[in-house]
Amino acid sequence: MARYELLDNIAHKDLRVAIRFGAGFGDDVGMVEAFPTEFAELQREYPIFFRKDPEGRFHAVALLGFEQRENLYLEGDRWSASYLPGAVARGPFLIGFQERQVDGQLRAEPVVHVDLDNPRVSGDGELVFTASGGNTPYLDRVIAVLRGINDGVQAGREMYAALDALQLIQPVTLDIRFDDSHQVKLTGLYGIDRERLAALDAEALHGLHRSGWLEGAYLVLSSLYNMRRLIAEKQRRIREQEGGQEQAA
């Protein structure tokens, strides 16, 4: 169970957060949510797809592995990519909203909360506050990530709705054979239909471009080249596992 508190430099003056990675921190997942505000960075290293939530709304995800608890970017306590998805980089923090008086008006202002039951909250990690109560560089980085996520959530709603209205988001099935005895079939994913995108008329293309969503669609398509890297890493681990089993036998 999560135990969120409003982050405070007095109540949490000694708070430390582990920045290592591993299954113990919940990093052994096959995908994480992605946001349009980070597509440009994500598409260099991760395949980006879409999924539907129970209400039928689309969300973008970065594919990390081919099984529910498989993260092929994890190597021991390292994350083998130069860019960390925002959903991971935020650690135990999230954006909440608090009503405040601003210029005489009651507004919901974004504030930072921390989950004190998150396994990353530990006694040997990065300090969140300095001795004088200011933000450490680590907290400043987290706040920047949270702002990107907050902006990305709103941008995602608009972008995915616009793409869906043009029928550009279509279901895809990943049917992959790694070798003669290992294969996988992933369903429930969606992608950008390249042919439908190429067939859009000038008015529809201009509308996507004006909104900024056309670039995002092409970034999603570009990200699929990372499937080769993911498949190669899966094949390497299969060979490594089978080699270890042969030695044990």
Side-chain angles (χ1 to χ4, degrees):
M1 289 290 292
R3 181 163 58 98
Y4 288 109
E5 290 186 5
L6 180 65
L7 188 64
D8 179 86
N9 62 356
I10 297 176
H12 306 122
K13 62 184 178 65
D14 298 319
L15 183 69
R16 289 178 178 267
V17 176
I19 58 173
R20 306 182 307 279
F21 302 98
F25 299 118
D27 297 322
D28 56 336
V29 291
M31 61 185 71
V32 293
E33 188 165 6
F35 306 94
T37 44
E38 60 177 347
F39 279 2
E41 295 288 350
L42 284 172
Q43 61 89 27
R44 295 187 176 97
E45 301 186 82
Y46 306 88
I48 303 171
F49 292 94
F50 301 98
R51 295 193 74 188
K52 275 187 177 180
D53 65 19
E55 286 73 42
R57 294 172 299 197
F58 283 110
H59 296 265
V61 295
L63 191 67
L64 307 179
F66 300 102
E67 300 174 22
Q68 186 176 3
R69 309 303 300 182
E70 178 181 68
N71 183 346
L72 295 171
Y73 293 86
L74 273 185
E75 292 185 1
D77 63 355
R78 289 182 55 253
W79 192 288
S80 61
S82 59
Y83 178 78
L84 198 61
V88 179
R90 74 177 188 179
F93 303 97
L94 84 163
I95 288 283
F97 291 88
Q98 188 175 66
E99 290 189 341
R100 291 180 176 174
Q101 288 286 342
V102 179
D103 297 329
Q105 295 183 339
L106 195 62
R107 295 182 183 178
E109 292 290 305
V111 289
V112 179
H113 287 73
V114 59
D115 175 12
L116 296 179
D117 285 342
N118 188 286
R120 291 194 182 279
V121 175
S122 65
D124 61 351
E126 291 282 323
L127 276 168
V128 173
F129 295 109
T130 65
S132 61
N135 295 355
T136 61
Y138 167 71
L139 181 55
D140 283 337
R141 291 194 300 271
V142 167
I143 290 173
V145 168
L146 291 174
R147 285 174 179 154
I149 291 175
N150 189 50
D151 293 342
V153 168
Q154 179 59 39
R157 291 194 192 103
E158 298 175 13
M159 176 183 177
Y160 310 150
L163 296 177
D164 189 34
L166 294 170
Q167 299 183 322
L168 294 176
I169 302 181
Q170 294 293 323
V172 297
T173 297
L174 300 181
D175 200 345
I176 304 168
R177 180 179 293 274
F178 302 112
D179 59 24
D180 291 340
S181 55
H182 296 85
Q183 64 185 54
V184 69
K185 185 175 184 178
L186 294 182
T187 59
L189 297 175
Y190 296 77
I192 299 293
D193 189 312
R194 188 183 295 272
E195 293 183 0
R196 286 177 183 264
L197 180 59
L200 289 180
D201 60 29
E203 183 180 354
L205 280 173
H206 181 66
L208 287 178
H209 175 68
R210 186 175 59 246
S211 301
W213 311 142
L214 184 60
E215 180 186 15
Y218 279 114
L219 289 173
V220 171
L221 285 171
S222 176
S223 77
L224 299 184
Y225 290 105
N226 294 308
M227 286 297 296
R228 298 176 183 175
R229 170 187 177 179
L230 213 56
I231 291 170
E233 177 61 17
K234 176 68 172 181
Q235 291 170 328
R236 185 189 72 79
R237 296 195 185 194
I238 289 173
R239 291 193 301 269
E240 187 178 81
Q241 182 180 18
E242 292 183 342
Q245 291 174 349
E246 290 175 2
Q247 291 180 3

